[in-house]
Amino acid sequence: MLDLDYDRLSRLLLETGTISTEPVKWGKVKACSGGLLQASGFDYPIGVGAEIESGYGREIGAEIVGFDDDMTMLAPFDQHVDIRVEARVRPALSNAQVDVGPQLMGRIIDPLGHPLDDMGPIQAEQQWPLMGKPSNILNRGSITQPLDVGVQAINALLPIGRGQRMALIAGSGVGKTVLMRQLTSGTQADVIVVGLIGERAREVNDFVAASRTSGIADKSAIIAVPADHSPILRIKAAQRAAAIAEYFRSEGKSVLLVIDSLTRIAHAQREIGLAAGEPPTMKGYPPSAIALIPQLLERAGCDEATGGFITAFYTVLADGDDLDDPIVDAARAIADGHIILSRELAEQGVFPAIDIGKSISRVANDIIQQDHGLALRSFRSLWSQYAENRDLITMGAYRAGSDSLLDEAIARRPDQLSFLQQSVDTHASRESSVSRLIDGFGS
C-alpha cells in the first residue's frame, strides 16, 4: 500500500479550494406556500443551489430565491414530488456556471444542461457564468452591418443589423411560431441558439423536426422546457440560452439567439415573485418580473474586442392582442426595434402577417443605402395612408380623386400585400428583397 501523508494532502486540498474549513450547513423544510418551500437553518445567499430529500428516496434540486425573516425560500425544480415537513436540505454544487463549447452543436438540452435527445452525455470542456460576465458598456460595438434573415418583408422593410435585438410581438394564432422558424432557417449565422420557454411539448417536437429538415441542426443548440415545468426552470432555461450565446460571441462567432417566449419567462418570474411576497403592479406583475426583461435583452449585441455579435429575436405574446401589456411595453422600450404581427392580415391569409405601420427597426437608417431608404419611406407612406383612411374606404365614403396620395395607396394595396407574403420554405436573400422593393416602390 502507498504510504500517504494525509496532513500534507489536506493542506493541498485547502490551498486549491477543493475542501473548505467552513462547516456545511443543512436545513429542514418547515412550510410550503405558493409553490415555494421555506427552510430553517439554511443560511446561504440567493442563487445558491440545494438538494431536498423527497419521500421517494431521491433528492430534488432547488434554488434559493428569497428570505422571510429567518426562513430561506426555495424554488424546487420539480413541483410534483413528495416533499414533507422536516425534510433535510443540503447545499448543492453552484448553479452559477454552465457548460459551453462546440459539443453543444446539434444537441437539445434541458434548463440544467442535461441532454434530451438520447444522443449520450455532452462532454463540454469549458464553462461560462449563467448570468454572464460583467463588461464595460463602452466595449459594445455599434450596429453598422446589415444581416440577411431570409424573409423578404424584414430584409427590405425592417432591415436588421448584426447585433440587433428585436421583439417579435403577436397575439395567439397569427403566425409567430412559423415566422420564428423562417428566421432561424434563413438567417446567416455561424451559431444558432434557441430557447423554447414554456411552450407546448408538441411545439417543441415540431420545431426540432423543422430544424433537422432545414439543415440548421448541426450549427444549433436548443434549450427546451415545456409549460408544465417549474417556473424557476423556465427562467434558468432563458439564462442558459443567453450564456451559451455569449460564449460563442466571445469566440468571434456570429450568433443568432431566439427566445420563445419572453412572456412565459415573465409569467414564471411573476409566479415566484408573488409567492415570495412581492407586491403586484400592473396586471399582477411584481417589479422583479419587469426588471428581468432588460437583464435578458441587454446580454445580446456586438463585442468590439472579438468581433463577434449576438443578433436576438425575442417573441412576446400579446395577451388578448393588447399592445399596451406591461411585458409588451417593456420589450419595446429596451429592444432595438419590434415586429408586430396583425390578426387582421392573418385572417386575410397574408403570411407573415407583419403590420409595417406599427413595426420599426431603430437601426435601419444606419445600415441601408440611400435608394433603399427612399423606397422604404415610399412604401411606409402608402401603407400609413391606407391604414388611416381604412374605415372611409371600406364604408365607401371616400370619393376617388379627392386625394392623389390616397388614390395611389388604394391602387398599390394589393402590391404591398403581395410583397409581404412568403411561403415557409422560401428563402429571400437580402439583395433580391431590396432590389424588388426599389423596383416596385422606388421613385
Side-chain angles (χ1 to χ4, degrees):
M1 294 180 63
L2 294 175
D3 185 14
L4 295 177
D5 185 345
Y6 287 102
D7 291 337
R8 183 183 175 206
L9 179 61
S10 297
R11 287 196 300 272
L12 288 173
L13 291 174
L14 284 171
E15 290 172 0
T16 59
T18 306
I19 63 174
S20 172
T21 56
E22 293 293 328
V24 178
K25 301 175 185 177
W26 287 51
K28 288 188 177 181
V29 174
K30 294 296 184 181
C32 177
S33 176
L36 297 185
L37 301 173
Q38 296 185 18
S40 65
F42 198 65
D43 184 17
Y44 291 96
I46 289 176
V48 170
E51 296 286 349
I52 307 170
E53 292 181 346
S54 76
Y56 296 110
R58 66 187 181 95
E59 294 184 327
I60 305 303
E63 184 175 300
I64 297 177
V65 295
F67 307 99
D68 185 4
D69 292 333
D70 58 346
M71 291 290 182
T72 299
M73 307 186 77
L74 300 162
F77 296 159
D78 189 345
Q79 296 179 317
H80 308 289
V81 292
D82 183 14
I83 297 177
R84 302 176 181 177
V85 175
E86 298 297 321
R88 291 189 298 179
V89 184
R90 67 174 181 83
L93 293 175
S94 174
N95 296 321
Q97 300 288 323
V98 301
D99 293 333
V100 294
Q103 297 84 0
L104 290 171
M105 294 297 92
R107 303 303 301 270
I108 305 159
I109 60 176
D110 70 6
L112 301 178
H114 303 141
L116 296 173
D117 49 16
D118 297 325
M119 295 173 60
I122 300 173
Q123 303 295 335
E125 299 176 353
Q126 301 183 62
Q127 289 192 321
W128 191 268
L130 180 66
M131 302 303 295
K133 293 182 178 180
S135 62
N136 190 329
I137 59 173
L138 298 181
N139 292 335
R140 285 292 179 89
S142 301
I143 302 172
T144 58
Q145 298 295 323
L147 180 68
D148 186 353
V149 299
V151 179
Q152 178 171 269
I154 298 177
N155 277 334
L157 302 172
L158 299 165
I160 304 296
R162 297 181 179 181
Q164 187 171 352
R165 305 159 302 171
M166 290 290 287
L168 178 55
I169 303 168
S172 57
V174 294
K176 170 174 58 67
T177 302
V178 175
L179 179 56
M180 185 186 71
R181 292 178 187 172
Q182 287 182 280
L183 291 170
T184 53
S185 62
T187 301
Q188 300 299 310
D190 299 326
V191 175
I192 299 173
V193 181
V194 181
L196 301 176
I197 318 296
E199 297 299 321
R200 295 182 290 273
R202 177 189 59 80
E203 289 189 344
V204 174
N205 291 331
D206 291 346
F207 185 89
V208 171
S211 68
R212 288 172 175 168
T213 57
S214 63
I216 64 169
D218 291 340
K219 64 175 182 178
S220 63
I222 299 176
I223 301 90
V225 53
D228 61 345
H229 281 51
S230 167
I232 189 66
L233 287 183
R234 283 175 259 158
I235 295 173
K236 292 181 77 66
Q239 293 170 341
R240 181 174 288 269
I244 293 172
E246 286 176 326
Y247 162 75
F248 284 108
R249 178 180 62 186
S250 72
E251 296 291 306
K253 304 289 187 181
S254 60
V255 183
L256 172 66
L257 172 64
V258 177
I259 300 292
D260 183 23
S261 72
L262 201 62
T263 305
R264 305 300 186 198
I265 299 168
H267 287 178
Q269 184 60 44
R270 179 170 62 183
E271 291 181 46
I272 294 173
L274 293 179
E278 285 190 65
T281 58
M282 291 186 297
K283 288 199 172 183
Y285 288 104
S288 61
I290 305 300
L292 184 60
I293 295 174
Q295 291 174 13
L296 284 174
L297 268 63
E298 284 295 332
R299 298 179 69 171
C302 303
D303 187 340
E304 199 168 53
T306 66
F309 59 86
I310 301 173
T311 305
F313 288 92
Y314 304 89
T315 69
V316 185
L317 179 63
D319 294 326
D321 293 337
D322 181 12
L323 297 182
D324 294 323
D325 180 88
I327 303 304
V328 173
D329 195 48
R332 281 188 304 199
I334 299 297
D336 301 315
H338 53 270
I339 300 171
I340 294 180
L341 302 187
S342 164
R343 187 172 301 278
E344 178 186 328
L345 291 176
E347 291 171 348
Q348 296 176 25
V350 177
F351 291 100
I354 301 174
D355 189 331
I356 299 301
K358 295 180 180 178
S359 305
I360 191 171
S361 172
R362 294 181 179 174
V363 303
N365 291 333
D366 299 327
I367 60 175
I368 61 176
Q369 302 297 323
Q370 183 176 5
D371 54 351
H372 183 184
L374 292 174
L376 174 55
R377 285 191 288 274
S378 174
F379 190 104
R380 294 184 70 94
S381 176
L382 295 175
W383 185 279
S384 64
Q385 279 291 323
Y386 187 92
E388 290 172 5
N389 296 277
R390 183 178 179 278
D391 291 340
L392 292 176
I393 297 169
T394 54
M395 290 187 302
Y398 174 72
R399 182 176 299 175
S402 302
D403 186 326
S404 59
L405 184 58
L406 183 54
D407 289 340
E408 184 181 1
I410 295 172
R412 300 300 305 275
R413 184 66 175 185
D415 296 334
Q416 290 188 313
L417 296 181
S418 175
F419 188 88
L420 293 183
Q421 297 188 71
Q422 181 177 332
S423 64
V424 178
D425 300 326
T426 303
H427 177 276
S429 69
R430 183 178 181 275
E431 291 74 14
S432 65
S433 302
V434 173
S435 177
R436 184 180 173 189
L437 177 69
I438 294 173
D439 292 341
F441 297 90
S443 56

